[in-house]
Amino acid sequence: MKNLILTTAALALTAGMSMADTVRMGTEGAYPPYNFINDAGEIDGFERELGDELCKRAELECEWVKNDWDSIIPNLVSGNYDTIIAGMSITDERDEVIDFTQNYIPPAASAYVAASDAADLEGGVIAAQTATIQAGHVAEGGATLVEFATPEETIAAVRNGEADAVFADKDYLVPIVEESGGDLIFVGDDVPLGGGVGMGLRESDGELRGKFDTAIDSMKADGTLNTMIKKWFGENAVVYD
């Protein structure tokens, strides 16, 4: 009886995704221009537009779910949604827990932002969002890492003097620096990290991953993806050849 129950449960899990027409897309909603909540209270940004187009090409219905970053992988694994599309860099460590599509943003730079060009990046206090590749990079060096749950808090830590600099995706930092009126500046060298940004899925959802990989391929082939990247990240953004 126990084996029968386990077998039935396993079949239900593997069949559930193939039988469903609606795919629940999990995102943070707090990392512009990748994803954010607009004035109407809706999920918006590059990944909202991208995800809707991918679902259209894969002939799937998208349903968007907002989830805090620090629990975004556990809630995917537990079945609260079917994908992560949230500016998540592809790393070996994450790939041990979940699966990834091919990247939909090429590997791009991470960067430091501070209030002064005298910021100590090697031995000072560096802010980063928790559970990011940037936090991991800082932790491996000689600086003191301070982690925050949201990207907004990392910027605030620099503004209020709690941290000497923030380390994050440069794409995220560019508009913040531009809008700061000179209060924030880029310091140090850019740092290439990760294998690009991709969609996260449960390892059991290979069929769904294949559908999204095919859709991403088609957007790369017809130039739609590059156009979308430049729309949200600027004409100088890293795109596909």
Side-chain angles (χ1 to χ4, degrees):
M1 184 64 181
K2 182 177 180 181
N3 288 340
L4 177 61
I5 291 172
L6 291 173
T7 302
T8 303
L11 287 171
L13 285 171
T14 55
M17 190 62 252
S18 62
M19 293 172 62
D21 293 324
T22 300
V23 176
R24 297 162 298 168
M25 310 281 272
T27 196
E28 182 184 13
Y31 202 59
Y34 288 90
N35 56 82
F36 57 91
I37 303 301
N38 62 24
D39 292 340
E42 300 171 339
I43 293 170
D44 204 339
F46 165 72
E47 286 168 321
R48 174 61 192 265
E49 184 177 359
L50 172 66
D52 286 345
E53 179 64 21
L54 291 175
C55 283
K56 179 181 177 181
R57 294 187 183 217
E59 299 182 342
L60 298 165
E61 292 293 328
C62 281
E63 178 182 296
W64 289 87
V65 181
K66 182 179 179 298
N67 193 94
D68 291 342
W69 175 260
D70 58 1
S71 62
I72 204 163
I73 289 179
N75 280 329
L76 169 71
V77 174
S78 64
N80 290 342
Y81 33 82
D82 306 302
T83 76
I84 294 172
I85 179 166
M88 180 171 283
S89 296
I90 300 168
T91 67
D92 291 339
E93 182 180 14
R94 288 170 179 157
D95 200 35
E96 292 178 359
V97 181
I98 61 175
D99 206 352
F100 283 97
T101 63
Q102 62 176 294
N103 60 46
Y104 55 77
I105 289 185
S110 296
Y112 294 93
V113 162
S116 165
D117 58 9
D120 182 2
L121 305 182
E122 300 299 324
V125 178
I126 308 298
Q129 187 177 14
T130 189
T132 60
I133 56 174
Q134 290 83 15
H137 179 79
V138 174
E140 292 173 357
T144 299
L145 169 67
V146 287
E147 296 182 85
F148 296 90
T150 68
E152 291 90 345
E153 290 173 295
T154 66
I155 303 299
V158 175
R159 290 186 183 276
N160 65 26
E162 189 177 352
D164 297 301
V166 56
F167 187 50
D169 289 314
K170 190 169 186 178
D171 288 335
Y172 169 71
L173 294 171
V174 166
I176 293 172
V177 171
E178 291 176 348
E179 295 167 8
S180 73
D183 291 340
L184 298 173
I185 59 173
F186 285 104
V187 293
D189 297 326
D190 292 350
V191 182
L193 294 175
V197 175
M199 295 177 70
L201 303 98
R202 288 181 290 274
E203 292 184 337
S204 59
D205 284 340
E207 180 182 351
L208 182 61
R209 185 195 68 242
K211 290 180 179 181
F212 280 123
D213 271 333
T214 298
I216 294 170
D217 269 334
S218 72
M219 290 187 69
K220 288 179 177 178
D222 66 15
T224 308
L225 185 53
N226 281 350
T227 299
M228 198 176 290
I229 291 172
K230 289 182 178 181
K231 170 186 173 181
W232 287 99
F233 298 100
E235 287 297 318
N236 294 323
V238 178
V239 295
Y240 294 95
D241 296 331

